[in-house]
Amino acid sequence: MHLTVEAALSVYPLSEGKLVAGAAGKNRIVKSVNVMDAPDIWDWIKDGEMLFTTGYLIKDDPQGGAGLLEQLNRRGSSGLGIKLGRFWEQIPPALILMADKLGFPLIQLPYEFTFSDQMNGLYRAEMQRSTKALQAAMEKQKRLMRFALQSDPILQLFEEISGVVGYPLAVVSAEGRALFNNSGVPEESLLRAWPWTGRHPWVKGEGWQCYRVPLLSGAKPAGYACFVTSEPLFTTLEEGLFHQAAELIAYQMEARIQSADNRSRQYEDQIRACLAGALPPAELAAYGESSGNSVLKGAYIPVLTSPGGTSDAAGRSARMERIRQEYGSHPVLSALGALHLDMEEGVLSLFPDGAGADELAEHLASCSGNLRKSAGCVARAAIGGRRSGEQSLASAWMELKETLRLAAEWGVPDPVVPYRKLELAYLFEHCPKERMAAFCDRVLGGLLRKEPEYRQEMLRTLEVYLDNDGQLSETAKKLYIHRNTASYRMDKISELLEVDLKKTDDLLRLKLAFQLRGMSAKAEEPAAALRTAGRK
């Protein structure tokens, strides 16, 4: 949901209520709605959440109600709706004064409607708004696609051929998409009965007919040229001219496709040479400019996907091909127009920065799951930081390889590993383990000296809390415990470790301590294995 308070109050049946105070906050965003009557109500409120209540808990304490408004405002709530008639006949002046002072929307809810009626109305309004926004976005996308087609230089060739033969022309791709159409016949009418079968050249419509010639490229047609007229017949001479024009179109389309493929392969070779240190980044940039390849010109996110499995060349090549196919068929990743290169380490993908790193990671994880299910390919993708230009390509490549190496050495189970997750570990990789142990003991000593069961439970809670960026609700969800339980544990941890979990410095020290503990444990594994082997 993404409505302002003012917009929400225009939605029936909430529109039957009224804003009694806090009008200065009418532009607050309502992200969700909650109904609750609990003593610690503010502990449950999320940012942007509007609260509906009967006022039961504050019916005998208007001053306590004013304090509730302060707590809700501090938590980022978008407003409070009170349903009168059961416990209060009117909203106490103390609440109205506090709401106006805070600019916190205070709403008198209509008594004749249930809370669910009002919430359903808001969610229906939000669904309608989202649907309209989606339709508008799709229409804009169609317009952009049309513009992209019209800017293709080959369209000038189609226009010239149409002028030479003296008839309107439509060129249809092998996938059934009109690449060019100056005939005035709507595309859906032109493509009626697609896919076309047989070799009958004549197609008739209402007030028009066309002579259809396949654009042959080998045994299969690469598309069709449709010469359109309102006249009843073409002459034999004209039909021969149409076939000649179709041969020219087919030749030019095939030549352009091959040329584009050759340029793409040459550009990939240039990138490989640059990564190997055999080509300066400036020369790669110049080649990309001259060949029309601009993936490195703007911002991009590099990804290296290791195919996993055995090391036999044929099997590895097949898995890498399967990875490229999966990325190429994904509805979001394919639209980004990434460049995919086969490297010795895996598939290097350069994604234009059309999606954030977190969203990209979700899509890559989805592809990894599909690869495992459909092809038994245990692929792992490393995501580098956002880069721009050819100068940063080599450092991005090193970053990706180090991410895969560290993930393998430390047994990271995730199929998609962002570099930022292992960045601190990489920085301290060569730190003496004695120093790491001393730092961990200094930071976590208050917990490490507790009894084993209690220590393990609290350390796990703290680790999940840090992994979820200090979000208490997410921590409770991941640990399958109540939010109040998680809150209690974090208070005890703060007390035992003498840290303030609201301070960035303390959070950073705790995060680093957990990272170093993991590194120390990995460093200890080989030594433990050697000691066991020696005893045998």
Side-chain angles (χ1 to χ4, degrees), residues 150 152-171 180-183 249:
Q150 291 173 359
D152 191 335
I154 200 172
L155 297 183
Q156 185 178 355
L157 170 68
F158 296 156
E159 194 74 58
E160 291 177 357
I161 289 177
S162 176
V164 169
V165 298
Y167 287 97
L169 169 67
V171 180
F180 176 82
N181 183 8
N182 67 355
S183 67
I249 292 172

Side-chain angles (χ1 to χ4, degrees), residues 22 81 114 126 130 135 140 148 168 170 179 206 212 215 229 258 264 357 400 425 457 514 529 535:
T114 65
E126 173 62 15
S130 299
Q135 290 173 342
K140 290 179 181 178
L179 303 177
E206 294 183 6
R212 189 170 65 205
L215 304 174
T229 182
Q258 289 179 350
S264 179
L400 293 172
E457 180 180 79
F514 274 98
R535 286 195 295 271

